[in-house]
Amino acid sequence: MINVVYKRAANLALVLLLAGCASDAENRRSDTMAAVKPRNQVSSLPQTTGKNTLPPPQSYRKPAPVYSTGMLTGIYASSPRVHNFIRHMVQKHGFSESYLNGLFSQATRLDSVIRLETAQGAPSSGPSIPRPGSWTRYRSKFLTDEHISHGAEFWAENADVIQRASATYGVDPEYIVAIIGVETYFGRNIGKTGTFNALATLAFDTERRATFFASELENFLLMTREEGFEPLEPVGSWAGAMGLGQFMPSSFRRLAVDFDHNGVRNLWDQRDAIGSVAHYFSRSGWQRSRPVAHHANGRNGSSTISLSTYNGNEFWQVYPNFKVIKRYNNSDKYAMAVHQLAQAIKQRYAATRGPSLVMRRDRM
């Protein structure tokens, strides 16, 4: 019990640190983690030599505490939203009402999460005046030598798994690596906010996207039941995204895979995360060995995008694979950062691994 209380207090204190995460007005998600320096790298699994490996599946598959109670107590005792949600979970999914009463009686409202969500939806104080160089600033968060070096290192440490995922799902390996790099700095910054408390706070204590987050909380509870996770243990971003690939619970349930075949889908583990990102891309329509984007001379129709730099706009011809990246996060800048980081990591990896990795010329 003491450990649970300590973890909750730590989550509440540390969530404030996440306010510096990368965000963009275009993004569907506003909690991309990798633009900040790593703060929660964890130790390696015994069977690997990598520096970035996440906790083994049993970290979250602990014997479930006894949550059962006859009535709802705590901060949500008088909340109609929570009572209605519990009734919905009982009637639609067969959860025990006493179990959910006990679980929600232990919920913690995260005021810092409320502030972050409120800030995302706050109207501007005046007319929006575009600032030149938004792409230059965004790019500088991800196209760093550290990101590129760690990406090549991550690829080398997980080469067999990445190659198998690439072959299984038909996704170019550099893009699997780059997504994990942009999302969580190759697992070095997965977030420390308790997912259950974050989603409960967003579903019941905010208004703007309450319906969306209630649906994600529903999927989260289903996920924990399906995978055998203790619901107060998983951690992630302030908005409920989890693991190296930062999947929301609904995406976890649809697209996460047990790529190491150990009986559980665990996106905090490198192997399952790599396979799941590849599966996500495959299901979104990725075309292996096909172009993503290349420089264009001005606008050439709807397939050309412009990105603002300090020296004017860059124009890029984009292809279906670029749109697949945007399925992950609906931002041109995000997709371009993934694309360019993928190419930079591929070049660095090829340089360190020798000429066996043939470089394609159709990307940059």
Side-chain angles (χ1 to χ4, degrees):
M1 184 64 182
I2 293 174
N3 287 339
V4 172
V5 173
Y6 175 81
K7 287 179 181 177
R8 290 181 185 171
N11 283 343
L12 183 57
L14 288 171
V15 73
L16 294 173
L17 295 175
L18 301 184
C21 297
S23 63
D24 188 325
E26 299 177 59
N27 293 355
R28 283 184 308 184
R29 281 219 350 258
S30 55
D31 55 337
T32 303
M33 302 295 297
V36 292
K37 293 297 182 182
R39 288 187 286 270
N40 60 327
Q41 185 176 351
V42 294
S43 57
S44 301
L45 288 170
Q47 65 266 38
T48 68
T49 59
K51 298 179 182 178
N52 311 319
T53 311
L54 273 292
Q58 58 266 31
S59 295
Y60 295 145
R61 301 190 89 190
K62 299 178 180 179
V66 178
Y67 292 119
S68 181
T69 184
M71 61 184 296
L72 181 62
T73 61
I75 61 172
Y76 292 126
S78 302
S79 170
R81 285 186 180 182
V82 178
H83 284 281
N84 289 337
F85 180 84
I86 290 174
R87 188 177 305 113
H88 167 77
M89 297 300 290
V90 171
Q91 294 175 352
K92 183 174 182 179
H93 301 296
F95 277 84
S96 161
E97 183 176 359
S98 61
Y99 167 79
L100 293 178
N101 282 340
L103 178 60
F104 280 96
S105 292
Q106 296 193 36
T108 299
R109 179 182 291 115
L110 301 180
D111 291 336
S112 53
V113 169
I114 296 173
R115 287 193 294 271
L116 289 166
E117 171 64 6
T118 302
Q120 290 294 322
S124 60
S125 57
S128 177
I129 302 175
R131 292 175 57 204
S134 61
W135 163 236
T136 303
R137 291 188 296 275
Y138 191 88
R139 185 182 188 277
S140 69
K141 298 173 182 178
F142 301 104
L143 270 293
T144 68
D145 188 68
E146 283 184 333
H147 274 79
I148 297 166
S149 295
H150 287 313
E153 177 185 320
F154 180 90
W155 192 340
E157 289 171 354
N158 298 280
D160 291 344
V161 178
I162 291 169
Q163 178 56 39
R164 182 162 61 90
S166 175
T168 300
Y169 296 112
V171 178
D172 302 82
E174 62 268 29
Y175 290 92
I176 302 172
V177 176
I179 280 286
I180 294 173
V182 169
E183 287 293 332
T184 59
Y185 202 179
F186 312 103
R188 287 170 163 82
N189 196 12
I190 60 171
K192 287 190 175 181
T193 308
T195 303
F196 172 74
N197 286 324
L199 290 173
T201 298
L202 290 161
F204 307 129
D205 298 297
T206 68
E207 298 294 338
R208 187 171 68 96
R209 296 187 290 174
T211 300
F212 165 76
F213 285 116
S215 175
E216 291 299 332
L217 179 59
E218 178 179 358
N219 277 283
F220 175 77
L221 292 176
L222 290 167
M223 180 199 85
T224 60
R225 185 170 70 177
E226 292 160 357
E227 305 302 324
F229 290 157
E230 201 286 293
L232 293 181
E233 290 293 325
V235 297
S237 77
W238 67 266
M242 301 172 293
L244 275 76
Q246 294 288 277
F247 281 29
M248 293 297 288
S250 57
S251 294
F252 187 114
R253 295 187 65 227
R254 288 185 299 107
L255 298 168
V257 295
D258 174 20
F259 205 59
D260 58 5
H261 306 294
N262 68 352
V264 62
R265 298 179 295 174
N266 176 26
L267 296 187
W268 296 266
D269 177 87
Q270 288 181 332
R271 295 155 297 190
D272 283 0
I274 289 166
S276 297
V277 168
H279 183 228
Y280 194 120
F281 267 40
S282 175
R283 288 281 296 274
S284 298
W286 186 264
Q287 301 172 17
R288 183 166 184 166
S289 302
R290 301 298 299 166
V292 174
H294 65 69
H295 278 293
N297 295 319
R299 285 198 176 275
N300 296 310
S302 60
S303 61
T304 306
I305 64 168
S306 64
L307 298 172
S308 174
T309 76
Y310 292 125
N311 297 317
N313 288 338
E314 288 181 358
F315 294 94
W316 291 81
Q317 184 79 26
V318 299
Y319 297 91
N321 279 346
F322 188 85
K323 296 178 181 178
V324 170
I325 300 174
K326 289 182 67 176
R327 292 286 299 274
Y328 216 103
N329 189 321
N330 190 28
S331 161
D332 286 341
K333 290 192 283 290
Y334 175 92
M336 188 59 70
V338 169
H339 168 58
Q340 293 191 4
L341 182 62
Q343 293 306 306
I345 289 172
K346 184 177 180 180
Q347 291 174 2
R348 183 71 56 88
Y349 181 69
T352 59
R353 305 296 289 182
S356 59
L357 185 66
V358 177
M359 304 299 294
R360 291 191 297 277
R361 294 175 295 178
D362 60 352
R363 301 282 184 174
M364 296 297 286

